[in-house]
């Protein structure tokens, strides 16, 4: 039996995947409401294929609980934020989870950390907790780092088809956990040491952050130099060894906009490109605001109440708003005292998050003269015609209507 700790964006699909492939699973989360929802037969967020997977797992008798279970494998999938001042990892949730596991786990148990952690986190925070309990690591308790790699929006597919990394002190334990993940993972699983696994995960997300920052920097250069950044990236990417990502209104989510900071925090003075990339990506919401002002002026729109922001999530076709560029734009507007007037709509965000948030697309469109496309949800792609006659500022290159403004 395995006990999955943390039933959020990663823990839940992972627990469901194990269960639907015949592994006995108890999913644990300290959030009582969340556990109650799952116990009542409902999922807690929208994700392609998640509801079907949930049904399958329930039919295989997955259990949800607020309690930790005494068992031989724990999979910890809790958040790992960074400290806003030191930029270092804030491992408090991982520490809390491992402490709780230590209260109930029998000798011989393996604790797998799936949460993204900076290199050295297991040495610094996890080993001492286990040793303080009087356990000998390797004899009594094993530690494994098996970072997740799935992308929100395509999680269920990627759980099955992405390759994985398993970091372990001891090859035998690594192989045992590899076998467990092989119950659903059809791709290659590499077994390595813990520090390598920790660093590899951070490197993957940092690579993407830097690549997006490059696209965003090119956008600013091209705007000043009067060049079409999208055309340039398209042509450059035809080179067999060039693959530039797309510019956008900023980098959100709880991964790419967070993980590079761990390296900046731990290696100040060395992590220079990484820091510059973070700054460039973080500057994009402000850049979007400047463009909104320019475009409003150009079109004689005097009142920000006539402008609507489309999209609140951090990217397309998810309902996750963590670190969303749109929220940063709204926050920044509030600082400039023009708050409370700009209109906002997102088909995937049902709860009220910001002032002047619409839940009806037609009303939203009817009430504005200018729309800022911040997220390329399928909903808007299928309704582009509705934007005819509006001033359209498209930050994602999804709209082909004539006269569309771009970043
Ligand atoms: N973005 C751009 N331009 C692009 C691609 C993305 O501006 O060309 C923006 C998105 O709009 C979004 C942000 O970047 O705001 C991040 O989105 P994403 O789709 O690139 O990645 P995440 O954060 O949803 O998921 C990432 C993935 N990592 C990599 O692709 C290296 C995923 O595989 C990881 O599992 C996940 O982080 C994680 O949990 O670490």
């Amino acid at each position: 039996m395995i006990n999955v700790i943390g039933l959020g964006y990663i823990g839940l699909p992972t627990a469901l995947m194990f269960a639907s492939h015949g592994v006995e699973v108890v999913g644990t989360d300290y959030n009582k409401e969340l556990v109650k929802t799952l116990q009542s037969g409902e999922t807690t967020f929208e994700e392609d294929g998640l509801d079907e997977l949930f049904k399958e797992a329930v039919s295989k008798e997955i259990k949800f609980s607020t309690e930790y279970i005494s068992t031989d494998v724990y999979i910890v999938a809790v958040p790992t934020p960074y400290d806003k001042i030191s930029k270092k990892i804030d491992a408090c949730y991982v520490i809390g989870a491992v402490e709780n596991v230590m209260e109930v786990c029998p000798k011989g148990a393996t604790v797998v950390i799936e949460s993204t952690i900076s290199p050295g986190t297991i040495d610094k925070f996890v080993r001492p907790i286990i040793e303080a309990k009087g356990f000998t690591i390797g004899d009594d308790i094993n530690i494994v780092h098996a970072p997740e790699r799935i992308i929100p929006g395509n999680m269920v597919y990627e759980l099955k088809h992405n390759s994985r990394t398993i970091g372990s002190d001891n090859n035998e334990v690594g192989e045992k956990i590899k076998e467990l993940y092989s119950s659903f993972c059809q791709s290659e699983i590499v077994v390595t040491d813990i520090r390598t696994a920790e660093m590899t995960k951070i490197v993957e997300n940092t690579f993407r952050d830097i690549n997006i920052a490059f696209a965003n920097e090119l956008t600013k250069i091209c705007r000043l130099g009067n060049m079409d950044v999208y055309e340039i990236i398209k042509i450059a990417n035809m080179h067999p060894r060039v693959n530039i990502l797309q510019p956008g209104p900023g980098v959100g989510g709880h991964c790419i906009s967070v993980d590079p900071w761990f390296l900046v925090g731990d290696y100040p003075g060395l992590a220079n490109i990484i820091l510059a990339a973070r700054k460039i990506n973080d500057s994009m919401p402000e850049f979007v605001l400047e463009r909104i002002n320019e475009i409003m002026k150009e079109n004689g729109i005097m009142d920000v109440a006539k402008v609507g922001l489309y999209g609140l999530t951090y990217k397309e076709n998810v309902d996750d708003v963590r670190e969303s560029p749109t929220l940063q734009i709204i926050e920044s507007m509030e600082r400039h005292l023009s708050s409370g007037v700009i209109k906002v709509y997102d088909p995937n965000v049902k709860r009220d998050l910001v002032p002047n948030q619409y839940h009806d697309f037609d009303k939203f469109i009817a009430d504005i003269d200018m729309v800022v496309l911040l997220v390329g949800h399928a909903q808007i792609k299928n309704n582009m015609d509705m934007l005819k006659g509006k001033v359209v500022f498209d930050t994602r290159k999804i709209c082909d209507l004539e006269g569309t403004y771009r970043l």
Side-chain angles (χ1 to χ4, degrees), residues 33-47:
E33 280 306 308
L34 183 137
V35 170
K36 229 163 70 193
T37 307
L38 294 170
Q39 284 170 339
S40 76
E42 270 176 57
T43 48
T44 39
F45 61 95
E46 305 258 336
E47 173 67 35

Side-chain angles (χ1 to χ4, degrees), residues 194-255:
I194 287 180
R195 226 181 159 85
T196 303
E198 290 176 320
M199 184 60 165
T200 307
K201 169 65 201 235
I202 304 295
V203 164
E204 291 163 7
N205 280 356
T206 303
F207 172 81
R208 199 161 165 86
D209 196 44
I210 292 173
N211 194 332
I212 298 168
F214 181 51
N216 283 334
E217 184 160 283
L218 290 179
T219 300
K220 292 181 178 178
I221 291 172
C222 289
R223 165 99 355 244
L224 196 67
N226 199 19
M227 294 174 267
D228 179 346
V229 73
Y230 296 101
E231 181 73 359
I232 289 157
I233 290 177
K234 189 179 93 192
I235 297 170
N237 282 349
M238 290 166 88
H239 184 291
R241 284 169 296 281
V242 176
N243 181 20
I244 307 167
L245 288 168
Q246 291 299 303
V251 170
H254 212 52
C255 313

